Amino acid sequence: MIIDCHGHYTTVPAPHTAWRKQQLAAWENDQTPPAYPAIPDDEIRESIEGSQLRLMRERGVDLTIFSPRASAMAHHEGDEAVSRQWAEACNDLIYRVTQLYPESFAGVCQLPQSPGVPIANSIAELRRCVEELGFVGCNLNPDPSGGHWTSAPLTDRSWYPFYETMVELDVPAMVHVSAVTNPNFHATGSAYLNADTTAFMQFLQADLFEDFPDLRIVIPHGGGAVPYHWGRFRGLADMLQRPPLHESVMGNVFFDTCVYHQPGIDLLFEVIDIDNLLFGSEMVGAVRGIDPQTGNYFDDTRRYVEALDLAIEDREKVFEGNARRVYPRLEQLIKA
Amino acid sequence: MIIDCHGHYTTVPAPHTAWRKQQLAAWENDQTPPAYPAIPDDEIRESIEGSQLRLMRERGVDLTIFSPRASAMAHHEGDEAVSRQWAEACNDLIYRVTQLYPESFAGVCQLPQSPGVPIANSIAELRRCVEELGFVGCNLNPDPSGGHWTSAPLTDRSWYPFYETMVELDVPAMVHVSAVTNPNFHATGSAYLNADTTAFMQFLQADLFEDFPDLRIVIPHGGGAVPYHWGRFRGLADMLQRPPLHESVMGNVFFDTCVYHQPGIDLLFEVIDIDNLLFGSEMVGAVRGIDPQTGNYFDDTRRYVEALDLAIEDREKVFEGNARRVYPRLEQLIKA
């Protein structure tokens, strides 16, 4: 079985996106947004079957851990109520996909984060998505300000109530920022990668996983810059008199394989323990084109992993076993 | 000849650092700072010979392109006048090192940047350092706010007057941020790498090098996350309908070899053209310890490059030729 831990619903039916625009316009004009539109199942099927599901089938992916479009979370837009309504709408849509294609999709939720709003206010939506909608994890935005980094680091105690709930529900979080308003950054080109690197360094510096030994965090996009600079991070842990990374961080942190060329995947698997790697593609997502150097899609990351010629038990870990361990709530979905 | 393009004077005599503290305290109290202290040549010799120069000799490095300590630039502290006075003091100290050891050090200057202050105000100090002190380049901070990213992107026209002067003087800039006040970031662990990735993506998105075909930019720390995600950046250029990277960016952008483990260096040389790579170590710098996996210093990057077993002409490019091409003002120093 091949599980893709990192898929976003980027091909949503048009009425969903149109409603978001209406919602934000209403907020700006201090009005009540219109009711969320009725979207027939067929529109959802159409939006999935011609893109995500077709690509999954073409690439031999059985199950995608599926979350709302990351760049559209836009936690910096509107206010807390706007974010809550939008997160609920996005998560409900993911839920419908998981119900239409229960063998192909498991849900991961967007949170109703908003700049300056305590993360504890996102607990109810996490709980609803996990307990009522059967979701297996969440996307946690370390910078809901949209590129201004006004929140406390992820290791700050203000995040702890949320981690307590994650541990209680036995779900992991993927660290994932969203669109940015800061013109210095490009969402998929620098903001995402920077956030990955930033989060890892925060974890390196603090005792978060001593406080939460069962907390599990997925850092996407192959861990940002971290594996490429693995020596730097090992050396910084030493200089900062922190424990070695495998003791203090890598029991709880996992990287996906969203690295869009063979040399990057080669390095990732060379320096990071196989138990910390989860197959992921981030599709249909950041980079949709075909690499002229290979003739294959940049984000067809399965090819790169297959080219490694892993031992059979390592291959099973990356494609399935590690995902089932990090997202244990997958068990009931896969069995069902 | 082996040229290290990235060395910082991190072992400055104590009076220099003490004066900076006094300078900032005076600014906070609206007072005039004390006069900059007299530092005898012997104190400078002591600060260099036991550390930077000893390490250079041990590692067989002939010449270091040497700039003030990056984290101490702290452009966010004080105001423009404070930054100017501090930049001048730091650059003058670098100048003294280059005069005491003309065969071993070439100067690169810190700029008197300050948040909200036009970069044009840094032109005079660049000119002084190049024309009067014989410096060969500058460190350009894309985020003088100290981790809040309040400036315009490096491709914004507000930076153009500075680039015009760089081209006129025929000196490159290394993109280099400094200490951060934003608690989300660790200077050497995430802020530096994020800035490298951010700058590259800015260059990818804009026509800066069409406007300045002779502008040369060094992105340090092995290019941040860029080489590891080279497929992503190639794919983004395609998606954003930008020219291929080798056309639009890599004629003007160079990466150093400050990557502190063999797999990272292997990847860097696999994906980036040899003409775009400059040997660098960032020492005495970010990571000072010994890698228990190798028994060698993390930042002894010459070992990693030597282990590549490059063709003799490629080796010469990385260790010397590319640096002489990117920093053409080295010629007169090496000949002298």
Side-chain angles (χ1 to χ4, degrees), chain A residues 55 91 100 117 120 147 157 179 194 200 271 296:
Chain A
L55 291 167
N91 293 333
L100 288 171
V117 173
R157 285 182 176 266
N194 292 349
F200 185 87
V271 302
N296 299 315

Side-chain angles (χ1 to χ4, degrees), chain A residues 12-32:
Chain A
V12 287
H16 177 76
T17 307
W19 180 79
R20 170 63 164 172
K21 279 188 189 151
Q22 294 168 331
Q23 185 210 23
L24 291 177
W27 181 78
E28 269 162 32
N29 297 314
D30 220 5
Q31 294 172 340
T32 305

Side-chain angles (χ1 to χ4, degrees), chain B residues 78-95:
Chain B
D79 59 12
E80 185 183 7
V82 165
S83 268
R84 180 170 309 282
Q85 207 176 20
W86 176 231
E88 287 171 3
C90 291
N91 293 333
D92 287 346
L93 200 63
I94 291 287
Y95 174 67

Side-chain angles (χ1 to χ4, degrees), chain B residues 138-181:
Chain B
C138 61
N139 287 336
L140 185 64
N141 187 345
D143 175 28
S145 75
H148 303 279
W149 289 91
T150 55
S151 296
L154 288 173
T155 49
D156 187 85
R157 285 182 175 265
S158 57
W159 297 88
Y160 276 26
F162 191 80
Y163 299 147
E164 282 165 17
T165 310
M166 282 174 56
V167 170
E168 178 206 326
L169 296 173
D170 206 11
V171 294
M174 179 176 278
V175 173
H176 212 308
V177 290
S178 182
V180 284
T181 59

Side-chain angles (χ1 to χ4, degrees), chain B:
Chain B
M1 181 172 198
I2 294 188
I3 300 172
D4 182 339
C5 79
H6 189 176
H8 295 297
Y9 194 6
T10 58
T11 60
V12 288
H16 177 76
T17 309
W19 180 79
R20 169 65 164 172
K21 279 188 189 152
Q22 294 168 331
Q23 186 211 21
L24 290 177
W27 180 78
E28 269 162 33
N29 296 311
D30 219 5
Q31 293 170 342
T32 305
Y36 186 81
I39 300 175
D41 282 355
D42 276 352
E43 269 194 67
I44 293 177
R45 285 199 190 92
E46 202 180 330
S47 76
I48 288 285
E49 290 189 7
S51 60
Q52 190 83 31
L53 200 56
R54 176 179 59 77
L55 290 167
M56 285 167 62
R57 285 176 179 151
E58 283 174 13
R59 301 178 189 184
V61 173
D62 300 295
L63 176 70
T64 292
I65 298 177
F66 204 47
S67 60
R69 180 176 204 152
S71 63
M73 296 190 300
H75 294 117
H76 59 277
E77 301 260 33
D79 59 12
E80 185 183 7
V82 165
S83 268
R84 180 170 309 282
Q85 207 176 20
W86 176 231
E88 287 171 3
C90 291
N91 293 333
D92 287 346
L93 200 63
I94 291 287
Y95 174 67
R96 291 182 64 190
V97 173
T98 66
Q99 293 308 103
L100 288 170
Y101 306 97
E103 293 183 358
S104 303
F105 294 100
V108 152
C109 66
Q110 170 178 333
L111 298 169
Q113 294 178 255
S114 192
V117 173
I119 190 65
N121 296 16
S122 287
I123 290 175
E125 180 63 3
L126 174 67
R127 205 176 273 288
R128 180 182 83 93
C129 289
V130 173
E131 294 184 335
E132 297 174 27
L133 308 185
F135 284 22
V136 300
C138 61
N139 287 336
L140 185 64
N141 187 345
D143 175 28
S145 75
H148 303 279
W149 289 91
T150 55
S151 296
L154 288 173
T155 49
D156 187 85
R157 285 182 175 265
S158 57
W159 297 88
Y160 276 26
F162 191 80
Y163 299 147
E164 282 165 17
T165 310
M166 282 174 56
V167 170
E168 178 206 326
L169 296 173
D170 206 11
V171 294
M174 179 176 278
V175 173
H176 212 308
V177 290
S178 182
V180 284
T181 59
N182 188 321
N184 281 286
F185 307 119
H186 181 275
T188 51
S190 53
Y192 288 9
L193 303 176
N194 292 350
D196 303 334
T197 310
T198 300
F200 185 86
M201 189 63 200
Q202 292 175 1
F203 299 142
L204 184 158
Q205 291 175 264
D207 294 323
L208 177 63
F209 302 121
E210 237 175 64
D211 292 341
F212 292 97
D214 296 324
L215 188 66
R216 296 180 304 281
I217 304 278
V218 180
I219 300 186
H221 321 107
V226 174
Y228 175 48
H229 287 284
W230 195 237
R232 188 179 190 87
F233 289 96
R234 286 196 293 110
L236 283 168
D238 173 57
M239 266 181 79
L240 299 172
Q241 299 182 289
R242 298 288 307 160
L245 296 176
H246 65 90
E247 285 176 24
S248 62
V249 180
M250 298 311 281
N252 304 77
V253 166
F254 305 85
F255 299 151
D256 74 14
T257 65
C258 297
V259 179
Y260 294 158
H261 64 151
Q262 191 67 48
I265 292 287
D266 292 349
L267 176 133
L268 175 62
F269 281 75
E270 185 175 352
V271 301
I272 304 299
D273 194 276
I274 197 78
D275 291 320
N276 293 88
L277 297 173
L278 275 64
F279 173 68
S281 73
E282 201 188 352
M283 66 120 172
V284 181
V287 175
R288 304 185 187 206
I290 288 174
D291 185 347
Q293 292 183 9
T294 64
N296 300 315
Y297 284 98
F298 282 107
D299 67 359
D300 187 357
T301 53
R302 185 177 165 194
R303 287 178 184 271
Y304 312 131
V305 177
E306 296 286 7
L308 295 170
D309 205 19
L310 296 173
I312 197 157
E313 62 272 21
D314 288 347
R315 188 180 175 285
E316 189 279 335
K317 283 180 176 180
V318 173
F319 281 124
E320 181 182 348
N322 293 343
R324 293 175 84 140
R325 186 162 48 88
V326 173
Y327 297 82
R329 283 181 175 262
L330 282 174
E331 292 310 308
Q332 61 210 60
L333 300 178
I334 292 170
K335 277 182 198 148

Side-chain angles (χ1 to χ4, degrees), chain A residues 6 8 176 186-194 196 220-222 224 256-262 281-283 285-289 291 298-299 301 304, chain B residues 197 200-201 204 225-240 245:
Chain A
H6 189 177
H8 296 297
H176 212 308
H186 182 275
T188 51
S190 53
Y192 288 9
L193 303 176
N194 292 349
D196 303 334
H221 320 107
D256 73 16
T257 64
C258 298
V259 179
Y260 295 156
H261 64 151
Q262 192 66 48
S281 73
E282 199 187 353
M283 65 120 175
V287 176
R288 304 184 188 205
D291 185 346
F298 281 108
D299 66 358
T301 54
Y304 311 131
Chain B
T197 310
F200 185 86
M201 189 63 200
L204 184 158
V226 174
Y228 175 48
H229 287 284
W230 195 237
R232 188 179 190 87
F233 289 96
R234 286 196 293 110
L236 283 168
D238 173 57
M239 266 181 79
L240 299 172
L245 296 176

